[in-house]
Amino acid sequence: MSHPGSRAHLVAEHYNQRPEVGVVRRQDSRIIRLRSFNNWLKSVLIHRHARPNDCVLDLGCGKGGDLNKWAKAKIRHLIAADIAAVSLDQMKDRYQALRDRRFSAEFHALDCYGEELAPLIETHFAVDVVSMQFCMHYAFESERKARIMLENVTCRLRHGGHFIGTIPDANMLVKRLRAQPDDVFAFGNEFYWIDFTNAGLQPDKTGFESPYGTNYMFHLEDAVDCPEPLVHWETFERLAGDYGLRLLYKENFHRFYRRALQEPEYEQLLQRMRVVGGHAPDMSSEEWDVAGIYLAFAFVKDQ
Ligand code: SAM
């Protein structure tokens, strides 16, 4: 478990304290369209990489917002882990209540960036897909944590298996920061703000002191309010290579959306999930701006 006072502990507390509001209250959220868009994007990612009968490892699974997506993908077994024990309990309840529960599951309350997962896993299945949605960036506090995270990602992943995820797009964050006047170190809109004061940024904004532990403050309406480390992409890709992972693609959400829409089944899914009106997402330009903060990635574990 994480130590009281550590940053990992603060992150766990933050997520544990977020109330489980249920489907009805979620519809009232000011960022409901953004949530629907993110859910559509994760559905596409999961549909592209998970196959029937797969064994899946969901690290940083939260309250189990992706359980239905795994059910639809017809997986055989789910290994779920998160540092926030309260969130994990809510996920267990959701799992028990699933209408289409045709897969088995095991749950582990664990600091996935500080402790080894392998000895805890009950199953002997090889893992086909590892998923880390909106959570991997917290490992980039230090190289040690990033390496423990990658060890956990790859410890049971079979050769040819996939590692998929979504994280803030550091290049986009830095681009938006540099578009501000020289003495302004924060930006945002009515839904989010990001503040790089105290992030170890050079005064002329040309670089950072280290590829790890560059913490900006992130506020997203109704969702997140805590410090987050920037993921220096080249560092991440190089480190992933040390664990046998080869990049298939990485795409900012805006580009991911445009490319996925070229496939009719994903456009239909977008309609079914009520994300679109016409050919653009049914979001304000401010919400669309928030979507552009993120990127999606997929790696394969080489033979
Ligand atoms: N993946 C879920 C989703 O897409 O709905 C939850 C995403 S939530 C924004 C981030 C999650 O990362 C939280 O549940 C948090 O507890 C988890 N997390 C952060 N640091 C972690 C760590 N060191 N080990 C395991 N989980 C962690």
mmCIF file of all heavy atoms in Angstrom, residues 2 8 11-16 39 42 58-66 69 81-85 87 110-114 131-139 145 166 223-224 228, ligand 1:
data_model
loop_
_atom_site.group_PDB
_atom_site.id
_atom_site.type_symbol
_atom_site.label_atom_id
_atom_site.label_comp_id
_atom_site.label_asym_id
_atom_site.label_seq_id
_atom_site.Cartn_x
_atom_site.Cartn_y
_atom_site.Cartn_z
ATOM 1 N N SER A 2 0.305 2.386 -0.393
ATOM 2 C CA SER A 2 1.075 3.621 -0.454
ATOM 3 C C SER A 2 1.259 4.192 0.954
ATOM 4 O O SER A 2 0.445 3.952 1.843
ATOM 5 C CB SER A 2 0.331 4.630 -1.319
ATOM 6 O OG SER A 2 -0.969 4.811 -0.835
ATOM 7 N N ALA A 8 1.508 9.228 -4.132
ATOM 8 C CA ALA A 8 0.621 8.118 -4.533
ATOM 9 C C ALA A 8 -0.575 8.037 -3.573
ATOM 10 O O ALA A 8 -1.710 7.806 -3.995
ATOM 11 C CB ALA A 8 1.389 6.800 -4.533
ATOM 12 N N VAL A 11 -3.047 10.772 -4.371
ATOM 13 C CA VAL A 11 -3.827 10.447 -5.579
ATOM 14 C C VAL A 11 -4.919 9.438 -5.209
ATOM 15 O O VAL A 11 -6.086 9.590 -5.593
ATOM 16 C CB VAL A 11 -2.902 9.895 -6.693
ATOM 17 C CG1 VAL A 11 -3.720 9.345 -7.857
ATOM 18 C CG2 VAL A 11 -1.956 10.988 -7.203
ATOM 19 N N ALA A 12 -4.543 8.393 -4.410
ATOM 20 C CA ALA A 12 -5.525 7.374 -4.004
ATOM 21 C C ALA A 12 -6.664 8.028 -3.224
ATOM 22 O O ALA A 12 -7.840 7.763 -3.481
ATOM 23 C CB ALA A 12 -4.848 6.298 -3.161
ATOM 24 N N GLU A 13 -6.308 8.921 -2.265
ATOM 25 C CA GLU A 13 -7.328 9.612 -1.470
ATOM 26 C C GLU A 13 -8.266 10.404 -2.371
ATOM 27 O O GLU A 13 -9.475 10.401 -2.193
ATOM 28 C CB GLU A 13 -6.664 10.590 -0.486
ATOM 29 C CG GLU A 13 -6.040 9.908 0.711
ATOM 30 C CD GLU A 13 -7.089 9.204 1.552
ATOM 31 O OE1 GLU A 13 -7.833 9.906 2.236
ATOM 32 O OE2 GLU A 13 -7.175 7.966 1.482
ATOM 33 N N HIS A 14 -7.647 11.100 -3.340
ATOM 34 C CA HIS A 14 -8.441 11.920 -4.258
ATOM 35 C C HIS A 14 -9.500 11.069 -4.952
ATOM 36 O O HIS A 14 -10.679 11.420 -4.992
ATOM 37 C CB HIS A 14 -7.531 12.587 -5.287
ATOM 38 C CG HIS A 14 -8.278 13.256 -6.392
ATOM 39 N ND1 HIS A 14 -8.934 14.454 -6.217
ATOM 40 C CD2 HIS A 14 -8.511 12.884 -7.664
ATOM 41 C CE1 HIS A 14 -9.522 14.800 -7.352
ATOM 42 N NE2 HIS A 14 -9.288 13.856 -8.241
ATOM 43 N N TYR A 15 -9.082 9.904 -5.501
ATOM 44 C CA TYR A 15 -10.046 9.076 -6.243
ATOM 45 C C TYR A 15 -11.007 8.361 -5.302
ATOM 46 O O TYR A 15 -12.183 8.185 -5.623
ATOM 47 C CB TYR A 15 -9.315 8.109 -7.178
ATOM 48 C CG TYR A 15 -8.818 8.830 -8.403
ATOM 49 C CD1 TYR A 15 -7.482 9.183 -8.553
ATOM 50 C CD2 TYR A 15 -9.708 9.218 -9.400
ATOM 51 C CE1 TYR A 15 -7.041 9.880 -9.663
ATOM 52 C CE2 TYR A 15 -9.285 9.913 -10.523
ATOM 53 C CZ TYR A 15 -7.944 10.245 -10.649
ATOM 54 O OH TYR A 15 -7.520 10.939 -11.751
ATOM 55 N N ASN A 16 -10.525 7.944 -4.101
ATOM 56 C CA ASN A 16 -11.420 7.288 -3.144
ATOM 57 C C ASN A 16 -12.550 8.217 -2.737
ATOM 58 O O ASN A 16 -13.666 7.782 -2.485
ATOM 59 C CB ASN A 16 -10.634 6.882 -1.889
ATOM 60 C CG ASN A 16 -10.006 5.508 -2.047
ATOM 61 O OD1 ASN A 16 -10.527 4.668 -2.779
ATOM 62 N ND2 ASN A 16 -8.895 5.288 -1.383
ATOM 63 N N ASN A 39 -15.763 7.717 -23.499
ATOM 64 C CA ASN A 39 -16.224 6.323 -23.461
ATOM 65 C C ASN A 39 -16.266 5.721 -24.852
ATOM 66 O O ASN A 39 -15.913 4.564 -25.042
ATOM 67 C CB ASN A 39 -17.610 6.232 -22.805
ATOM 68 C CG ASN A 39 -17.456 6.073 -21.304
ATOM 69 O OD1 ASN A 39 -16.596 5.317 -20.832
ATOM 70 N ND2 ASN A 39 -18.257 6.784 -20.540
ATOM 71 N N LYS A 42 -12.641 4.958 -25.810
ATOM 72 C CA LYS A 42 -12.127 3.749 -25.135
ATOM 73 C C LYS A 42 -12.782 2.496 -25.734
ATOM 74 O O LYS A 42 -12.133 1.466 -25.859
ATOM 75 C CB LYS A 42 -12.398 3.825 -23.624
ATOM 76 C CG LYS A 42 -11.510 4.822 -22.901
ATOM 77 C CD LYS A 42 -11.521 4.612 -21.385
ATOM 78 C CE LYS A 42 -12.797 5.078 -20.729
ATOM 79 N NZ LYS A 42 -12.793 4.886 -19.266
ATOM 80 N N ASP A 58 -6.502 -4.820 -16.360
ATOM 81 C CA ASP A 58 -6.894 -3.402 -16.352
ATOM 82 C C ASP A 58 -6.218 -2.740 -15.148
ATOM 83 O O ASP A 58 -6.651 -2.924 -14.003
ATOM 84 C CB ASP A 58 -8.431 -3.312 -16.257
ATOM 85 C CG ASP A 58 -8.947 -1.887 -16.444
ATOM 86 O OD1 ASP A 58 -8.128 -0.947 -16.423
ATOM 87 O OD2 ASP A 58 -10.178 -1.715 -16.592
ATOM 88 N N LEU A 59 -5.138 -2.005 -15.409
ATOM 89 C CA LEU A 59 -4.385 -1.345 -14.325
ATOM 90 C C LEU A 59 -4.920 0.070 -14.148
ATOM 91 O O LEU A 59 -5.082 0.797 -15.122
ATOM 92 C CB LEU A 59 -2.894 -1.280 -14.672
ATOM 93 C CG LEU A 59 -2.095 -2.586 -14.669
ATOM 94 C CD1 LEU A 59 -0.646 -2.319 -15.079
ATOM 95 C CD2 LEU A 59 -2.125 -3.260 -13.310
ATOM 96 N N GLY A 60 -5.159 0.486 -12.894
ATOM 97 C CA GLY A 60 -5.753 1.810 -12.652
ATOM 98 C C GLY A 60 -7.198 1.802 -13.131
ATOM 99 O O GLY A 60 -7.673 2.753 -13.753
ATOM 100 N N CYS A 61 -7.908 0.695 -12.797
ATOM 101 C CA CYS A 61 -9.258 0.440 -13.351
ATOM 102 C C CYS A 61 -10.318 1.377 -12.791
ATOM 103 O O CYS A 61 -11.407 1.486 -13.347
ATOM 104 C CB CYS A 61 -9.653 -0.999 -13.068
ATOM 105 S SG CYS A 61 -9.578 -1.376 -11.289
ATOM 106 N N GLY A 62 -10.030 2.041 -11.635
ATOM 107 C CA GLY A 62 -11.009 2.958 -11.053
ATOM 108 C C GLY A 62 -12.243 2.224 -10.559
ATOM 109 O O GLY A 62 -12.164 1.121 -10.004
ATOM 110 N N LYS A 63 -13.418 2.835 -10.805
ATOM 111 C CA LYS A 63 -14.684 2.268 -10.323
ATOM 112 C C LYS A 63 -15.257 1.251 -11.295
ATOM 113 O O LYS A 63 -16.398 0.822 -11.162
ATOM 114 C CB LYS A 63 -15.702 3.391 -10.132
ATOM 115 C CG LYS A 63 -15.308 4.446 -9.115
ATOM 116 C CD LYS A 63 -16.323 5.578 -9.175
ATOM 117 C CE LYS A 63 -16.217 6.631 -8.110
ATOM 118 N NZ LYS A 63 -14.948 7.048 -7.647
ATOM 119 N N GLY A 64 -14.495 0.910 -12.337
ATOM 120 C CA GLY A 64 -14.963 -0.117 -13.274
ATOM 121 C C GLY A 64 -15.793 0.436 -14.408
ATOM 122 O O GLY A 64 -16.671 -0.248 -14.945
ATOM 123 N N GLY A 65 -15.490 1.672 -14.815
ATOM 124 C CA GLY A 65 -16.224 2.303 -15.915
ATOM 125 C C GLY A 65 -16.111 1.539 -17.232
ATOM 126 O O GLY A 65 -16.918 1.747 -18.140
ATOM 127 N N ASP A 66 -15.147 0.631 -17.331
ATOM 128 C CA ASP A 66 -14.980 -0.104 -18.593
ATOM 129 C C ASP A 66 -15.540 -1.526 -18.535
ATOM 130 O O ASP A 66 -15.391 -2.296 -19.498
ATOM 131 C CB ASP A 66 -13.491 -0.140 -18.998
ATOM 132 C CG ASP A 66 -12.978 1.249 -19.341
ATOM 133 O OD1 ASP A 66 -13.820 2.128 -19.670
ATOM 134 O OD2 ASP A 66 -11.756 1.478 -19.272
ATOM 135 N N LYS A 69 -17.623 -2.548 -21.386
ATOM 136 C CA LYS A 69 -16.855 -2.660 -22.640
ATOM 137 C C LYS A 69 -16.177 -4.028 -22.699
ATOM 138 O O LYS A 69 -16.116 -4.662 -23.749
ATOM 139 C CB LYS A 69 -15.815 -1.539 -22.735
ATOM 140 C CG LYS A 69 -16.440 -0.142 -22.676
ATOM 141 C CD LYS A 69 -15.387 0.946 -22.719
ATOM 142 C CE LYS A 69 -15.942 2.326 -22.437
ATOM 143 N NZ LYS A 69 -16.316 2.600 -21.040
ATOM 144 N N ALA A 81 -6.817 -3.901 -11.128
ATOM 145 C CA ALA A 81 -6.011 -3.397 -10.007
ATOM 146 C C ALA A 81 -6.086 -1.884 -9.949
ATOM 147 O O ALA A 81 -6.097 -1.203 -10.993
ATOM 148 C CB ALA A 81 -4.555 -3.847 -10.165
ATOM 149 N N ASP A 82 -6.155 -1.356 -8.719
ATOM 150 C CA ASP A 82 -6.164 0.100 -8.527
ATOM 151 C C ASP A 82 -5.670 0.397 -7.114
ATOM 152 O O ASP A 82 -5.873 -0.394 -6.194
ATOM 153 C CB ASP A 82 -7.576 0.670 -8.718
ATOM 154 C CG ASP A 82 -7.548 2.173 -8.973
ATOM 155 O OD1 ASP A 82 -7.261 2.946 -8.020
ATOM 156 O OD2 ASP A 82 -7.784 2.581 -10.128
ATOM 157 N N ILE A 83 -5.031 1.546 -6.963
ATOM 158 C CA ILE A 83 -4.533 1.943 -5.643
ATOM 159 C C ILE A 83 -5.670 2.391 -4.721
ATOM 160 O O ILE A 83 -5.551 2.336 -3.502
ATOM 161 C CB ILE A 83 -3.478 3.073 -5.794
ATOM 162 C CG1 ILE A 83 -2.698 3.268 -4.490
ATOM 163 C CG2 ILE A 83 -4.113 4.361 -6.256
ATOM 164 C CD1 ILE A 83 -1.523 4.225 -4.629
ATOM 165 N N ALA A 84 -6.792 2.836 -5.308
ATOM 166 C CA ALA A 84 -7.911 3.380 -4.519
ATOM 167 C C ALA A 84 -8.861 2.242 -4.137
ATOM 168 O O ALA A 84 -9.694 1.807 -4.937
ATOM 169 C CB ALA A 84 -8.637 4.463 -5.322
ATOM 170 N N ALA A 85 -8.733 1.756 -2.877
ATOM 171 C CA ALA A 85 -9.484 0.569 -2.447
ATOM 172 C C ALA A 85 -11.001 0.809 -2.491
ATOM 173 O O ALA A 85 -11.769 -0.101 -2.819
ATOM 174 C CB ALA A 85 -9.052 0.174 -1.037
ATOM 175 N N SER A 87 -12.677 2.768 -4.558
ATOM 176 C CA SER A 87 -13.105 2.673 -5.960
ATOM 177 C C SER A 87 -13.205 1.207 -6.380
ATOM 178 O O SER A 87 -14.147 0.796 -7.061
ATOM 179 C CB SER A 87 -12.103 3.372 -6.889
ATOM 180 O OG SER A 87 -12.002 4.734 -6.574
ATOM 181 N N LEU A 110 -3.845 -2.148 -5.017
ATOM 182 C CA LEU A 110 -2.381 -2.159 -5.094
ATOM 183 C C LEU A 110 -1.848 -0.851 -5.685
ATOM 184 O O LEU A 110 -2.453 -0.305 -6.610
ATOM 185 C CB LEU A 110 -1.984 -3.314 -6.029
ATOM 186 C CG LEU A 110 -0.500 -3.550 -6.247
ATOM 187 C CD1 LEU A 110 0.047 -4.375 -5.076
ATOM 188 C CD2 LEU A 110 -0.254 -4.302 -7.550
ATOM 189 N N ASP A 111 -0.727 -0.382 -5.145
ATOM 190 C CA ASP A 111 -0.007 0.713 -5.787
ATOM 191 C C ASP A 111 0.763 0.105 -6.965
ATOM 192 O O ASP A 111 1.845 -0.443 -6.795
ATOM 193 C CB ASP A 111 0.956 1.365 -4.779
ATOM 194 C CG ASP A 111 1.830 2.427 -5.422
ATOM 195 O OD1 ASP A 111 1.715 2.629 -6.647
ATOM 196 O OD2 ASP A 111 2.629 3.049 -4.694
ATOM 197 N N CYS A 112 0.192 0.170 -8.140
ATOM 198 C CA CYS A 112 0.754 -0.529 -9.314
ATOM 199 C C CYS A 112 2.066 0.101 -9.783
ATOM 200 O O CYS A 112 2.714 -0.421 -10.695
ATOM 201 C CB CYS A 112 -0.233 -0.516 -10.464
ATOM 202 S SG CYS A 112 -1.789 -1.297 -10.072
ATOM 203 N N TYR A 113 2.432 1.263 -9.213
ATOM 204 C CA TYR A 113 3.689 1.915 -9.610
ATOM 205 C C TYR A 113 4.721 1.826 -8.498
ATOM 206 O O TYR A 113 5.798 2.411 -8.582
ATOM 207 C CB TYR A 113 3.444 3.382 -9.984
ATOM 208 C CG TYR A 113 2.214 3.592 -10.843
ATOM 209 C CD1 TYR A 113 1.485 4.773 -10.790
ATOM 210 C CD2 TYR A 113 1.776 2.588 -11.707
ATOM 211 C CE1 TYR A 113 0.349 4.948 -11.560
ATOM 212 C CE2 TYR A 113 0.632 2.762 -12.475
ATOM 213 C CZ TYR A 113 -0.073 3.940 -12.390
ATOM 214 O OH TYR A 113 -1.204 4.100 -13.152
ATOM 215 N N GLY A 114 4.368 1.081 -7.419
ATOM 216 C CA GLY A 114 5.292 0.944 -6.294
ATOM 217 C C GLY A 114 5.486 -0.497 -5.861
ATOM 218 O O GLY A 114 6.416 -0.796 -5.125
ATOM 219 N N SER A 131 -4.675 -2.855 -20.281
ATOM 220 C CA SER A 131 -5.313 -1.558 -20.546
ATOM 221 C C SER A 131 -5.014 -0.603 -19.392
ATOM 222 O O SER A 131 -5.144 -0.975 -18.222
ATOM 223 C CB SER A 131 -6.829 -1.791 -20.671
ATOM 224 O OG SER A 131 -7.522 -0.575 -20.743
ATOM 225 N N MET A 132 -4.579 0.599 -19.714
ATOM 226 C CA MET A 132 -4.368 1.636 -18.691
ATOM 227 C C MET A 132 -5.034 2.919 -19.181
ATOM 228 O O MET A 132 -4.470 3.632 -20.018
ATOM 229 C CB MET A 132 -2.870 1.872 -18.448
ATOM 230 C CG MET A 132 -2.187 0.677 -17.811
ATOM 231 S SD MET A 132 -0.541 1.084 -17.187
ATOM 232 C CE MET A 132 -0.940 1.969 -15.690
ATOM 233 N N GLN A 133 -6.245 3.178 -18.682
ATOM 234 C CA GLN A 133 -7.010 4.317 -19.195
ATOM 235 C C GLN A 133 -6.966 5.502 -18.228
ATOM 236 O O GLN A 133 -7.401 5.385 -17.077
ATOM 237 C CB GLN A 133 -8.464 3.884 -19.456
ATOM 238 C CG GLN A 133 -8.581 2.690 -20.396
ATOM 239 C CD GLN A 133 -7.941 2.921 -21.755
ATOM 240 O OE1 GLN A 133 -7.798 4.064 -22.224
ATOM 241 N NE2 GLN A 133 -7.525 1.840 -22.412
ATOM 242 N N PHE A 134 -6.451 6.614 -18.729
ATOM 243 C CA PHE A 134 -6.389 7.879 -17.977
ATOM 244 C C PHE A 134 -5.678 7.717 -16.628
ATOM 245 O O PHE A 134 -6.076 8.325 -15.632
ATOM 246 C CB PHE A 134 -7.806 8.444 -17.755
ATOM 247 C CG PHE A 134 -8.542 8.749 -19.031
ATOM 248 C CD1 PHE A 134 -9.584 7.939 -19.480
ATOM 249 C CD2 PHE A 134 -8.177 9.841 -19.796
ATOM 250 C CE1 PHE A 134 -10.250 8.220 -20.667
ATOM 251 C CE2 PHE A 134 -8.846 10.139 -20.979
ATOM 252 C CZ PHE A 134 -9.884 9.328 -21.415
ATOM 253 N N CYS A 135 -4.649 6.901 -16.564
ATOM 254 C CA CYS A 135 -3.997 6.679 -15.273
ATOM 255 C C CYS A 135 -2.483 6.468 -15.347
ATOM 256 O O CYS A 135 -1.800 6.615 -14.339
ATOM 257 C CB CYS A 135 -4.627 5.478 -14.569
ATOM 258 S SG CYS A 135 -4.525 3.963 -15.517
ATOM 259 N N MET A 136 -1.940 6.123 -16.520
ATOM 260 C CA MET A 136 -0.532 5.739 -16.565
ATOM 261 C C MET A 136 0.405 6.887 -16.223
ATOM 262 O O MET A 136 1.499 6.680 -15.686
ATOM 263 C CB MET A 136 -0.198 5.194 -17.957
ATOM 264 C CG MET A 136 1.127 4.472 -17.994
ATOM 265 S SD MET A 136 1.825 4.399 -19.625
ATOM 266 C CE MET A 136 2.374 6.080 -19.886
ATOM 267 N N HIS A 137 -0.027 8.130 -16.496
ATOM 268 C CA HIS A 137 0.848 9.288 -16.284
ATOM 269 C C HIS A 137 1.298 9.430 -14.838
ATOM 270 O O HIS A 137 2.379 9.931 -14.573
ATOM 271 C CB HIS A 137 0.194 10.587 -16.772
ATOM 272 C CG HIS A 137 -1.249 10.729 -16.410
ATOM 273 N ND1 HIS A 137 -2.219 9.889 -16.907
ATOM 274 C CD2 HIS A 137 -1.896 11.610 -15.611
ATOM 275 C CE1 HIS A 137 -3.397 10.250 -16.437
ATOM 276 N NE2 HIS A 137 -3.231 11.284 -15.642
ATOM 277 N N TYR A 138 0.479 8.920 -13.880
ATOM 278 C CA TYR A 138 0.863 9.059 -12.478
ATOM 279 C C TYR A 138 2.159 8.305 -12.162
ATOM 280 O O TYR A 138 2.794 8.560 -11.143
ATOM 281 C CB TYR A 138 -0.260 8.581 -11.549
ATOM 282 C CG TYR A 138 -1.503 9.434 -11.645
ATOM 283 C CD1 TYR A 138 -2.681 8.949 -12.203
ATOM 284 C CD2 TYR A 138 -1.487 10.751 -11.181
ATOM 285 C CE1 TYR A 138 -3.816 9.740 -12.293
ATOM 286 C CE2 TYR A 138 -2.607 11.548 -11.269
ATOM 287 C CZ TYR A 138 -3.781 11.039 -11.832
ATOM 288 O OH TYR A 138 -4.889 11.840 -11.924
ATOM 289 N N ALA A 139 2.558 7.362 -13.024
ATOM 290 C CA ALA A 139 3.804 6.610 -12.796
ATOM 291 C C ALA A 139 5.039 7.449 -13.127
ATOM 292 O O ALA A 139 6.155 7.090 -12.739
ATOM 293 C CB ALA A 139 3.812 5.339 -13.648
ATOM 294 N N LYS A 145 9.365 4.370 -10.553
ATOM 295 C CA LYS A 145 7.925 4.074 -10.627
ATOM 296 C C LYS A 145 7.516 3.678 -12.045
ATOM 297 O O LYS A 145 6.724 2.754 -12.240
ATOM 298 C CB LYS A 145 7.106 5.276 -10.175
ATOM 299 C CG LYS A 145 7.174 5.460 -8.681
ATOM 300 C CD LYS A 145 6.221 6.523 -8.212
ATOM 301 C CE LYS A 145 6.316 6.595 -6.699
ATOM 302 N NZ LYS A 145 5.072 6.886 -6.053
ATOM 303 N N THR A 166 -4.602 5.560 -22.496
ATOM 304 C CA THR A 166 -4.885 6.974 -22.784
ATOM 305 C C THR A 166 -4.202 7.813 -21.700
ATOM 306 O O THR A 166 -4.289 7.469 -20.511
ATOM 307 C CB THR A 166 -6.410 7.230 -22.756
ATOM 308 O OG1 THR A 166 -6.979 6.560 -21.628
ATOM 309 C CG2 THR A 166 -7.096 6.738 -24.012
ATOM 310 N N ALA A 223 -14.307 16.023 -12.270
ATOM 311 C CA ALA A 223 -13.543 14.791 -12.501
ATOM 312 C C ALA A 223 -12.222 14.743 -11.746
ATOM 313 O O ALA A 223 -12.012 13.877 -10.907
ATOM 314 C CB ALA A 223 -13.308 14.589 -13.993
ATOM 315 N N VAL A 224 -11.306 15.667 -12.039
ATOM 316 C CA VAL A 224 -9.951 15.563 -11.494
ATOM 317 C C VAL A 224 -9.545 16.896 -10.876
ATOM 318 O O VAL A 224 -9.907 17.955 -11.378
ATOM 319 C CB VAL A 224 -8.921 15.225 -12.619
ATOM 320 C CG1 VAL A 224 -7.549 14.973 -12.022
ATOM 321 C CG2 VAL A 224 -9.369 14.036 -13.430
ATOM 322 N N GLU A 228 -0.336 16.269 -11.556
ATOM 323 C CA GLU A 228 -0.099 15.149 -12.478
ATOM 324 C C GLU A 228 1.262 15.315 -13.140
ATOM 325 O O GLU A 228 1.591 16.412 -13.598
ATOM 326 C CB GLU A 228 -1.162 15.136 -13.579
ATOM 327 C CG GLU A 228 -2.547 14.896 -13.070
ATOM 328 C CD GLU A 228 -3.536 14.510 -14.167
ATOM 329 O OE1 GLU A 228 -3.227 14.695 -15.371
ATOM 330 O OE2 GLU A 228 -4.610 14.051 -13.816
HETATM 331 N N1 SAM B 1 -9.210 3.695 -15.776
HETATM 332 C C1 SAM B 1 -10.398 4.233 -15.151
HETATM 333 C C2 SAM B 1 -11.280 4.867 -16.186
HETATM 334 O O1 SAM B 1 -10.861 5.072 -17.333
HETATM 335 O O2 SAM B 1 -12.448 5.149 -15.860
HETATM 336 C C3 SAM B 1 -10.067 5.223 -14.028
HETATM 337 C C4 SAM B 1 -9.309 6.445 -14.420
HETATM 338 S S1 SAM B 1 -9.044 7.611 -13.104
HETATM 339 C C5 SAM B 1 -8.920 9.117 -13.983
HETATM 340 C C6 SAM B 1 -7.352 7.305 -12.636
HETATM 341 C C7 SAM B 1 -7.192 6.046 -11.789
HETATM 342 O O3 SAM B 1 -5.778 5.775 -11.620
HETATM 343 C C8 SAM B 1 -7.780 6.186 -10.395
HETATM 344 O O4 SAM B 1 -8.713 5.165 -10.144
HETATM 345 C C9 SAM B 1 -6.557 6.083 -9.484
HETATM 346 O O5 SAM B 1 -6.843 5.520 -8.211
HETATM 347 C C10 SAM B 1 -5.635 5.209 -10.329
HETATM 348 N N2 SAM B 1 -4.227 5.273 -9.901
HETATM 349 C C11 SAM B 1 -3.465 6.376 -9.707
HETATM 350 N N3 SAM B 1 -2.254 6.040 -9.223
HETATM 351 C C12 SAM B 1 -2.249 4.676 -9.130
HETATM 352 C C13 SAM B 1 -1.278 3.724 -8.691
HETATM 353 N N4 SAM B 1 -0.093 4.112 -8.230
HETATM 354 N N5 SAM B 1 -1.607 2.405 -8.740
HETATM 355 C C14 SAM B 1 -2.839 2.009 -9.182
HETATM 356 N N6 SAM B 1 -3.790 2.859 -9.592
HETATM 357 C C15 SAM B 1 -3.509 4.181 -9.576
#
